[in-house]
Amino acid sequence: MKDAQFGELPFLKYEHDVTSCAYSPDGSTFSVVLSDGNIDVYSTSNWERTWILGGHDDRITSIVYSPNGDRIVSGSYDYTVRIWDVATGDCLNIFIGHTYFVQAVAFSPKGNVVASMRNDEARFWDVETGDCRHVTSGCGYIYDVAFSPNGNTIAFGSGDSRVRLLDIASGECRSILIGHNHFVTSVAFSAQGEQLISKGGDNVRVWGTGLCVRRLSGHEDSVYGVVYSPQGDQIVSRGGDKTVRLWDLETGQCRHTMTGHSSHVKLVLFSPKGDHIASADGDNTVRLWNVGSGTSRKIANHHLGDVTGLEYSPKRNQIASSSSDSTIRLWDAETGACIRPLTGHSGFVYKVAYSPSEDQLVSCSGDTTIRLWDVESGACRFVLTGLDQSVYDVEFSPQGNQVVSASESTVRLWNVETGECQHILIGHSSIIWVVKYSPQGDLVASAGFDGTVRLWDVETGECRHTLTGHSNGILRIVFSPGGNQIASGSHDNTVRLWDVKTGECSNIYIGHQSGATRLVFSPRGDQVASASCHDKTARIWDTESGECRHILVGHEKEIFAIAYSPRGDLIASWSDEGEGRLWDVETGECRWKLDYESTTQVLTSYLSYNFAWMSSEPPSFITGGRDGSVRVWDVVGEGDQCRIQMRWMSTNGQLGMEDANIQDVQGLGYLNRRLLKQRGARGEPNIQLRETGKKVMSMASLVSQLKASSSTTAANSSSASLAMSLSRQSGQQTEQAVDAETFEN
């Protein structure tokens, strides 16, 4: 588990069967029971194993933490129950008395009594003395047991399809709950004790005051277990269909179906805070899930879903990306290091945008909320609520004091300082897909599936103009740099240019064979470039004459991104499967093509949906794709010598450098030095001025050199550690981190 901080860690993998697992009440430790009779105890702060609890002579069937988390009770096939000290790993007591293997164990709420079950017999033990207080029998074959929160009642799930409630003090049966048609293998009380859940066969039942109040169905195979959330408002179930399901108790609806296990799910439990779920399956894998999103929790250096939005910070030293994995990530624009993830959304994040002052971010999501973030700390300043539908677009005003959002058929203006909604702009009759502020910030334009563009007065909230003419939904709108014109691209295959002052249509650009899905003005405003996803072309239009100056043909896949360079002399386009092209605006010729078929190591599963240029020398731009990665590219050379090379990309893992020593390493470039030092490397490399025309060592050469040196002398163990850390990226980092031929010492 030592490498968890460096890369992706979606699960713990064991050679032996995993038979049970449990969180401590405060979440500081996590215990896993193995079929070899041992218990592995991990610290959740770093996922290092702290203890191996050994002593049982046979397979362990069940473990439970005491309420204060200082002890663990375990039951085994060796007919015994053991009490363990979590702090020292010592066995404090062994309870002997069962004449058959122990199937289940449980602590009382006060932690002074332990219940253990075998067949139809239950025993109640005094934790301090080890004495057996009561023996209860005649309940049928017992599969599971649970104490009520007040400790007065204990529930048994039995092989006769019934749930029995027993009085702790007298040992008498208080109630029998009938309704299941199969063995009841799991029972649990709600946090307040007013409800009980039970699992029998392929369904889950919720009981209140002796009656079944809800029946939860959905698993495609037998349900193997159920657990309440700590707050008592949700239930998680596990099944033979290889899924974990999260249920809303109030509505009875399934919130998430969590897939990823390769066999039946044997165990499931909530973390103490209720924000994560741990599950174990038949192939000995333990997975961690995010309760809000239903996604597998991973410690990673990239997005776990499509990149849906990209934004450079105003100072161009930072990049923000949004994703379908419900997160936002901030990146160092030069090195590609992930500064921090921003978590809080529970749905698809559609868009992220910086404030003009760069101190805030705004994001919108399918979870019907908008969030304002502090860039420096990563803290969420406001959660803007009140919307009952997904929020598709969001943007800061040029002054930075206001945010506009698009949600279904309404546009809303929000005060950034207070988080209050200032105006609700109503007029569209269908989903609003995009909103934009004018460069002056006095107008907001909105467009959507009703085929209209509306111009709103920011101060009054009144609609100044409704721009009609498109015969289908509008996909993109963009203001000209001066703000006097606005262009719109539609599913009707046309691009229209509008006069902002009068609301009149000044030009209609016809030529695309499918919807105009991408749209951008040139920096001077004399051209509009459009791209169509399905006809695989981009077109350059003259805003004055309305003529099509160039048709950019060559993409073999659908075009998903297009943008002018800051100087306006180049257009970059990106398509499905990572096919990138750089076009000369003056001639319309393709200067450069990224042949994705010859660069499969870099571009496997990479499809670019987002794109942004950076004002820099050499010119550079960012792309984001379906594989969850963010990439920065540099435009190198002029004219026929123009080419593009990747500066860095985010990956499914980080370089872990804590144990690496780069003292006196030869030929390490500036950016590589900075990247390795950021990741914890020690020492300073040997910096030498290079001769003209002499290439700096690449990352791949560095790895080879360090591997070679590690095999010839034990004294170079620190260099070998660095080589192994780099090679763990399976060669990908050498392709993606920094091209040392570009960046000199």
Side-chain angles (χ1 to χ4, degrees), residues 509-560:
Y509 305 142
I510 301 173
H512 282 298
Q513 301 303 305
S514 61
T517 55
R518 294 295 182 267
L519 202 61
V520 62
F521 268 98
S522 65
R524 292 184 297 179
D526 58 336
Q527 295 175 358
V528 169
S530 61
S532 177
C533 179
H534 297 298
D535 74 8
K536 305 171 188 177
T537 69
R539 295 170 185 255
I540 301 175
W541 310 89
D542 188 291
T543 57
E544 186 67 29
S545 66
E547 295 179 357
C548 179
R549 295 188 56 184
H550 298 294
I551 301 176
L552 311 181
V553 180
H555 279 291
E556 299 175 5
K557 302 289 182 178
E558 293 87 348
I559 300 174
F560 286 112

Side-chain angles (χ1 to χ4, degrees), residues 138-426:
C139 300
Y141 193 96
I142 300 171
Y143 282 98
D144 196 19
V145 60
F147 278 94
S148 64
N150 61 14
N152 296 331
T153 305
I154 190 166
F156 296 99
S158 303
D160 61 1
S161 308
R162 300 182 179 187
V163 179
R164 287 176 169 81
L165 304 180
L166 274 69
D167 182 84
I168 295 295
S170 64
E172 295 180 356
C173 182
R174 285 183 173 178
S175 181
I176 300 177
L177 309 180
I178 301 173
H180 287 292
N181 57 7
H182 207 274
F183 306 150
V184 180
T185 55
S186 184
V187 290
F189 279 96
S190 62
Q192 291 73 35
E194 80 282 4
Q195 285 186 340
L196 176 79
I197 54 171
S198 60
K199 190 285 302 178
D202 63 352
N203 66 78
V204 177
R205 290 179 181 261
V206 183
W207 307 86
T209 63
L211 299 175
C212 180
V213 296
R214 200 171 296 283
R215 183 174 180 267
L216 310 179
S217 299
H219 282 284
E220 298 175 1
D221 203 336
S222 295
V223 182
Y224 291 154
V226 288
V227 179
Y228 268 102
S229 67
Q231 296 78 18
D233 58 341
Q234 297 179 98
I235 290 173
V236 64
S237 60
R238 58 184 174 89
D241 59 1
K242 307 176 186 179
T243 70
V244 176
R245 293 177 184 253
L246 187 66
W247 306 86
D248 186 292
L249 270 183
E250 185 176 351
T251 64
Q253 298 298 311
C254 180
R255 289 190 57 195
H256 300 299
T257 299
M258 292 165 268
T259 60
H261 283 293
S262 58
S263 67
H264 67 281
V265 184
K266 301 190 299 184
L267 303 159
V268 68
L269 72 159
F270 275 96
S271 64
K273 292 182 180 179
D275 54 346
H276 289 98
I277 293 168
S279 58
D281 63 19
D283 69 355
N284 313 325
T285 297
V286 178
R287 291 184 178 268
L288 303 177
W289 308 90
N290 183 291
V291 169
S293 64
T295 56
S296 182
R297 180 190 174 199
K298 300 182 182 181
I299 302 170
N301 185 33
H302 78 155
H303 285 294
L304 308 179
D306 298 358
V307 175
T308 58
L310 284 173
E311 183 91 358
Y312 266 111
S313 64
K315 295 178 183 177
R316 302 290 176 174
N317 61 340
Q318 203 177 87
I319 295 168
S321 59
S322 59
S323 172
S324 60
D325 67 3
S326 306
T327 71
I328 298 146
R329 288 182 178 267
L330 305 183
W331 311 87
D332 184 300
E334 187 173 10
T335 68
C338 181
I339 300 169
R340 67 172 54 86
L342 306 180
T343 59
H345 282 297
S346 60
F348 197 112
V349 182
Y350 286 102
K351 175 79 178 290
V352 62
Y354 280 95
S355 65
S357 59
E358 199 174 310
D359 59 339
Q360 294 185 81
L361 274 172
V362 63
S363 59
C364 61
S365 170
D367 65 6
T368 74
T369 69
I370 301 162
R371 288 178 178 257
L372 286 170
W373 309 85
D374 183 90
V375 171
E376 182 66 27
S377 66
C380 181
R381 293 185 62 240
F382 292 110
V383 180
L384 311 182
T385 59
L387 305 118
D388 56 2
Q389 300 290 341
S390 297
V391 186
Y392 297 112
D393 198 14
V394 69
E395 186 173 271
F396 268 101
S397 66
Q399 294 77 23
N401 62 337
Q402 197 178 67
V403 163
V404 62
S405 66
S407 174
E408 293 302 319
S409 59
T410 63
V411 177
R412 294 176 187 242
L413 302 179
W414 307 85
N415 185 297
V416 170
E417 292 301 317
T418 65
E420 296 178 352
C421 181
Q422 294 176 311
H423 294 294
I424 301 177
L425 313 179
I426 300 174

